[in-house]
Amino acid sequence: MGNLAVKDITKSYGNHNILQGVNFTVNDGEFVSILGPSGSGKSTLFHLIGGIRLPDSGQIFLEDKQINGLKGSISYTPQSPSLMPWRTVLKNVLLGGEIVGKHDEKRALELIERAGLQGYENAYPHELSGGMKQRVAFVRSLLSPQPLICLDEPFSALDEFTRLEMQKWLMSIWQENKRSILFVTHNIDEAMFLSDRVIVLSQKPATVKREFTIPFERPRQESILLTEEFLDWKKAIYRELSEDV
């Protein structure tokens, strides 16, 4: 179960108030995206959930257990894939499980194949394209034992075509595994296409301005990106973001 509850989180660095009374949840098996203006504290929020930093006040619960300052509770994929250059694709995806004493090579090979990386099991990161590296990083997250996966703008460095292909791939893999995902992005289309809910943060000090429940049925096809309904929802989210800019 991957239920996350962020309750009244506040965080400052010196005189800079970054987060102020942030509240939201991620339900088990849910895909939730966070949108906010640049510098609104989205990455800081991930650092707090991941136990890298402590909030000044408030509580973070995962599966009803408080995880303030507790490292290793979530699987975290930053903007860069952060693969170990001296480890092969197979060894990289097994890393998260190895850290906690789990080694499921059969499952790893199945997911590598599902990710379109069959034949690259023994390749090294420098031999892969950007999109391939991101697939390896996400497979590593799926094989890690933590119930919640946090993805911090994983496709921001990719070109538009590769980005859409990665979004479709991520959605198909997620629907098969149904892990809880918290996803940070600056891209409204991406957030809407992938998510069950979209959380909009305000400018600093960030708080939750509004939550949008995305109504489109799954599995989703890229054709919805061009529909009038999709555009109407995009306009509503854009208005929430632009009011702060």
Side-chain angles (χ1 to χ4, degrees):
M1 301 288 283
N3 297 299
L4 175 74
V6 173
K7 298 185 176 182
D8 295 319
I9 290 296
T10 298
K11 181 65 179 177
S12 298
Y13 293 109
N15 295 323
H16 300 286
N17 193 0
I18 308 298
L19 303 172
Q20 183 64 51
V22 174
N23 289 276
F24 67 87
T25 60
V26 179
N27 298 317
D28 185 48
E30 191 177 26
F31 198 125
V32 175
S33 286
I34 295 178
L35 280 169
S38 295
S40 61
K42 299 183 294 296
S43 292
T44 296
L45 192 54
F46 267 10
H47 293 160
L48 298 176
I49 295 170
I52 299 172
R53 308 283 186 204
L54 277 169
D56 298 333
S57 62
Q59 297 171 306
I60 303 168
F61 292 92
L62 184 62
E63 298 178 319
D64 299 322
K65 176 183 178 182
Q66 187 171 317
I67 59 169
N68 290 38
L70 189 61
K71 297 183 181 70
S73 299
I74 65 165
S75 177
Y76 174 60
T77 299
Q79 294 179 29
S80 166
S82 300
L83 303 178
M84 303 296 183
W86 59 88
R87 292 177 71 109
T88 64
V89 166
L90 178 59
K91 293 296 185 182
N92 263 289
V93 303
L94 288 170
L95 182 61
E98 286 178 4
I99 291 172
V100 295
K102 294 184 178 181
H103 188 91
D104 191 348
E105 187 169 317
K106 180 181 178 183
R107 175 65 172 154
L109 289 170
E110 289 174 355
L111 283 173
I112 287 172
E113 180 178 356
R114 182 68 181 82
L117 294 168
Q118 190 174 20
Y120 289 90
E121 298 88 345
N122 297 313
Y124 289 87
H126 74 271
E127 300 175 277
L128 307 178
S129 69
M132 293 166 75
K133 290 176 185 178
Q134 288 292 4
R135 293 179 189 225
V136 174
F138 186 64
V139 169
R140 181 179 59 191
S141 293
L142 287 174
L143 287 167
S144 297
Q146 296 90 346
L148 176 70
I149 299 173
C150 289
L151 303 176
D152 191 355
E153 296 192 71
F155 309 142
S156 60
L158 303 178
D159 63 80
E160 195 67 25
F161 178 78
T162 304
R163 184 174 187 143
L164 180 57
E165 290 303 307
M166 286 298 299
Q167 290 167 6
K168 292 189 291 185
W169 174 81
L170 172 60
M171 193 159 50
S172 67
I173 293 289
W174 169 76
Q175 286 175 182
E176 290 178 8
N177 293 269
K178 282 292 184 171
R179 296 280 290 279
S180 303
I181 291 182
L182 185 60
F183 188 96
V184 160
T185 179
H186 282 99
N187 189 297
I188 299 175
D189 285 12
E190 181 171 73
M192 290 175 57
F193 185 56
L194 292 172
S195 306
D196 297 308
R197 283 187 294 128
V198 174
I199 295 168
V200 176
L201 297 182
S202 68
Q203 286 275 21
K204 288 188 295 188
T207 188
V208 174
K209 284 190 70 181
R210 189 171 170 187
E211 292 188 12
F212 292 85
T213 299
I214 306 303
F216 306 110
E217 294 183 357
R218 299 186 186 273
R220 293 174 185 165
Q221 306 299 322
E222 62 183 285
S223 56
I224 70 167
L225 296 168
L226 302 175
T227 63
E228 188 172 339
E229 185 181 8
F230 190 93
L231 183 58
D232 287 342
W233 280 86
K234 181 178 179 178
K235 288 177 180 176
I237 295 174
Y238 177 79
R239 281 194 293 270
E240 287 293 334
L241 288 167
S242 61
E243 282 176 5
D244 269 345
V245 175

